[in-house]
Amino acid sequence: MNLEDALLAFRASFTYDHPEGLSIDSRVEGGTLRVEVRNQDVDALRGFDVVAEPLPGEDRDAVQLGEDVARVVEQELMYGQLSAQDEEGKFKRVVV
């Protein structure tokens, strides 16, 4: 699966009108499509990561994977509460 195609599909289908100050960084790292969502509020840096690591026998194509990642990011943002970093400095991680 070409993750660059999945990244393009994510960017094309992610249409959520997010508030100002929220940063969304999407990229391919090795065999992983990663989307990092961050927001600095008065108390802490908050956010979450959505990660897609397709398996060799994956039934989805790259476009479907990108659309699935966009849907998960939108759903997480709809909850309205972004988690703060844990004690190790890591954010909530959602695997698609």
Side-chain angles (χ1 to χ4, degrees), residues 1-14 26-35 50-74 94-96:
M1 175 182 303
N2 184 341
L3 289 179
E4 291 295 333
D5 289 344
L7 179 60
L8 291 173
F10 165 78
R11 290 177 176 163
S13 55
F14 181 73
S26 56
R27 65 185 178 277
V28 174
E29 293 179 339
T32 303
L33 171 59
R34 173 181 294 276
V35 179
V50 176
V51 180
E53 299 173 347
L55 301 171
E58 188 83 43
D59 287 339
R60 296 179 287 189
D61 63 11
V63 171
Q64 182 63 49
L65 179 65
E67 290 171 351
D68 289 348
V69 170
R71 186 175 57 252
V72 169
V73 172
E74 289 173 1
V94 181
V95 178
V96 178

Side-chain angles (χ1 to χ4, degrees), residues 13-43:
S13 55
F14 181 73
T15 58
Y16 187 81
D17 188 23
H18 52 280
E20 191 173 323
L22 190 69
S23 68
I24 300 173
D25 179 32
S26 56
R27 65 185 178 277
V28 174
E29 293 179 339
T32 303
L33 171 59
R34 173 181 294 276
V35 179
E36 295 177 351
V37 177
R38 302 289 185 267
N39 185 44
Q40 179 69 52
D41 67 13
V42 294
D43 297 325

